[in-house]
Amino acid sequence: MWKDYSKSYIKNNRASSISIMAAAFVATMFLSLICSIAYNFWAYDVEQIILEEGDWQGRIVCKSLGSNDLSMVCQIANVKKAVINEELSQKEKIVADVYFKNARTIYRDMPLIAARIGLNEDSIQYNSLLLSRYFIHDPEDATPPMLLTLYAVILIIVAVSLILIIRGSFELSMDARIHQFGIFSSIGATPRQIRTCLLQEAMVLSILPMLIGSMSGILISYGVIKAVNFFASDVSGRHEAVFQYHPSIFAVSVFISFLTVIFSAWIPARKLSRMTPLEAIRNTSGLLLKKKKHSRFLSCIFGMKGELVGNALKAQKKHLRISTLSLLLSFLGFSIMICFTTLADISTRYTYFERYQDVWDIMITVKDTKIWDFGLTDALQDISGIQDATVYQKAEAMTFLPEGLQSDELSSLGGFESVSGRPNENGQFQVSAPIVVMDDRGFLNFCSQIGITPSLDGAIVLNQIWDSINSNFRYKEYVPFVREDNQQTALYKNDKTVEIPVLSYSQKAPTLREEYDNYALVHFIPLTMWNKTMGEVCEAESDSYIRILSNGTANLADLNDLEQEIVQLVSEQYGIESENRMQERLSNDSLIQGMVMIFGAFCVLLAIIGIANVFSNTLGFLRQRKREFAQYMSIGLTPQEMRKMFCIEAFVIAGKPLLITLTLTVLFVQFAVTASYLDPMVFWSEAPVLPILIFAAAIVLFVALAYYIGGKRLLQCDLNETLRNDALI
């Protein structure tokens, strides 16, 4: 009997069945999509960490490590293997990489391993970033990296919200059948039979949509990974993402969807089956309008019809909660996302591309090469199309300054204490003194640019410090750091000190694509001076850099050709990485566009959920709305006035999330612009108003369409007959 009844009900109530199937499909597709994308992003992050840092989990660094020690490490039960890292090992130190069978005990095992071979804990290291991707954190770390944990929490929240979608559809369908099951209960149907019937219907309607939804989510996630690769293809330092999928992800998403369907159907089925036959038969399945609650806003604007609509919306409040939340989150997410990307694009353009557009065109990073070992400086100058090429390298040093050397401007801002803290026992302040070692030709050109006699017998000091009190980081103003009457500068590093003459103090830095510390005394030194005095005191960084400025007429094609020629020359002898300013700009634009499309698609999916729920509510409440509007007709409302009520209801459902979103978006933009110290008019002149309006119009259009279809079907029925007809649908 129940099997035949379920088949008959599904066949004769296609709107309700389609609503449930659509909810199961959308929820499962979305869940599968999110799980698949999250897994691929996690796998890509792990691959990137392994490429950059290696796949080792623990590491032993010591002066000597014999074969017996290594064998002793390998004999520990939880150690999978331990191998000598030949690349990092040198004469004065040995590096051994340790791999574990169960890495979750690494922070307990590594100190025991060190103690067993006679080393202290300073000799061990952890690949903390890689371990954190497997949710393995140092128990003694007060602030472990919790970004991945945050992503997992967000994923769980999204999954829970998807559960509510299916639950809402089942609740709508079952609420409409209270009267029917009351009749069945009165003729002998038990609560268990009613629950079983409803759960069987739920599984029949949901199994196929769940499988199709899971496969659709996988296909969409594959397209997302391809889109990411396309838009980020020109990003330097990035390896191509390969779509990955594990069977466990499919099993988990389908299993969660299955539990969701069972749970979502069981709750309203249990509620329905526990009603007494008399309660169920007397229930008219209509909206429970509360006369005591008034909708003042709607009644003031639309009069009596607004009051009726307000009461109807309050009665549907529970069922409309998911659609309202989905529409709100989708529109809010899209608006904030596109405003944020616009703000980020403006900020990047102002602080990077436009700031350095006259400084560099091509940057070459020469890997593991000291500037004095680079022998192609003169050859670069012979390439046609190059206006200027400077080879440089960076190093770190410190200097001690007496209080009397600070400038008057710095004294008024707090003096050296505001920069480096308290003085030492000699009354001197320790200040960072970064060093930029320039090739001799580039240094002499810099001397000419600042108007001093070119010389290789000293340093040029960048004598400026950021006035953070009277300016912000967006529009920085600088004041002199020290007095310019000191003709010697003392630099020290590793307990070694050297004094070198100062050729000049300058408020202008050479045209290098470098961002200097706000509170440091930067020294520019020629290669000749470095080789004479500094080489034994400071150790330069491992990489050297070549800053190339082309002639002013170069376009993208010319820069690409010039870059290719330079790369071909330098890469024959050195390992390099190259950057092209115009290509970097195009890559940045493409990356932002891809980010907008991916996040925009995510927001569209959220909007689809909300709109689907609106359709589900509108079409699923058909029986209840028949009775409701039949009652309105009995008190004199015309079909035209009822159409107007549908329009008001659609206006409220679509307008509420839009109004809230616009308010929150304006507040977010105001906060973001203020926090970034950007001129508000700069943002508002480029504000993405049109995309936001298009997205809002799409939401309004589909909500209106849902109410148009529901209202048309409703008004085509004989509403007078509905008040008298209690037959089964």
Side-chain angles (χ1 to χ4, degrees), residues 217 331 467 544 596 659:
F331 191 41
D467 180 4
S544 296
V596 170
L659 182 61

Side-chain angles (χ1 to χ4, degrees), residues 6 12 29 33 88 124 137 163 175 272-273 292 339 371 374 431 435 446 544 568 595 604 617 671 696:
S6 295
N12 297 324
M29 179 194 69
L33 171 63
L88 297 179
I124 59 177
H137 306 298
I163 291 174
D175 282 352
L272 193 152
S273 64
K292 294 183 179 180
C339 287
I371 184 174
F374 184 75
V431 175
I435 299 172
F446 179 43
S544 296
Q568 186 175 359
M595 185 168 59
V604 168
N617 282 327
F671 169 78

Side-chain angles (χ1 to χ4, degrees), residues 26-43 148 151-152 154-160 162 213-214 216-222 224-225 243-257 260 602 605:
V26 171
T28 308
M29 179 194 69
F30 213 171
L31 184 63
S32 175
L33 171 63
I34 292 175
C35 290
S36 179
I37 291 179
Y39 177 76
N40 275 272
F41 281 4
W42 172 83
L148 194 63
Y151 289 159
I154 293 174
L155 180 62
I156 293 173
I157 292 174
V158 172
V160 171
L162 295 176
S214 296
S216 300
I218 297 172
L219 293 176
I220 296 174
S221 64
Y222 176 80
V224 169
I225 300 302
F243 178 77
Q244 302 181 53
Y245 196 81
H246 198 276
S248 61
I249 303 299
F250 180 81
V252 167
S253 60
V254 172
F255 179 70
I256 293 176
S257 300
T260 298
F602 181 82
L605 286 175

Side-chain angles (χ1 to χ4, degrees), residues 508-529:
K508 179 181 179 181
T511 53
L512 306 176
R513 196 197 65 177
E514 291 294 331
E515 187 75 23
Y516 305 110
D517 187 47
N518 295 316
Y519 307 108
L521 206 58
V522 185
H523 287 61
F524 300 98
I525 298 176
L527 178 58
T528 299
M529 174 63 68

Side-chain angles (χ1 to χ4, degrees), residues 600-654:
F602 181 82
C603 295
V604 168
L605 286 175
L606 276 177
I608 290 174
I609 291 176
I611 292 169
N613 201 264
V614 173
F615 271 92
S616 175
N617 282 327
T618 306
L619 302 180
F621 265 117
L622 187 61
R623 181 185 177 100
Q624 291 96 318
R625 305 313 293 271
K626 281 183 181 179
R627 294 183 176 276
E628 174 195 352
F629 279 88
Q631 293 171 355
Y632 293 155
M633 181 174 288
S634 67
I635 61 174
L637 280 176
T638 64
Q640 184 64 30
E641 289 175 319
M642 287 189 284
R643 291 190 186 95
K644 187 175 181 180
M645 289 180 61
F646 271 118
C647 292
I648 297 171
E649 197 167 320
F651 166 76
V652 173
I653 291 177

Side-chain angles (χ1 to χ4, degrees), residues 285-300:
S285 300
L287 296 177
L288 300 178
L289 303 180
K290 299 181 180 181
K291 299 179 181 180
K292 294 183 179 180
K293 292 191 175 182
H294 299 284
S295 302
R296 296 179 181 178
F297 177 76
L298 292 178
S299 60
C300 289

Side-chain angles (χ1 to χ4, degrees), residues 582-598:
M582 292 187 179
Q583 189 62 50
E584 283 283 306
R585 177 63 184 273
L586 293 176
S587 299
N588 180 74
D589 293 343
S590 178
L591 195 62
I592 290 178
Q593 182 183 1
M595 185 168 59
V596 170
M597 291 188 64
I598 292 171

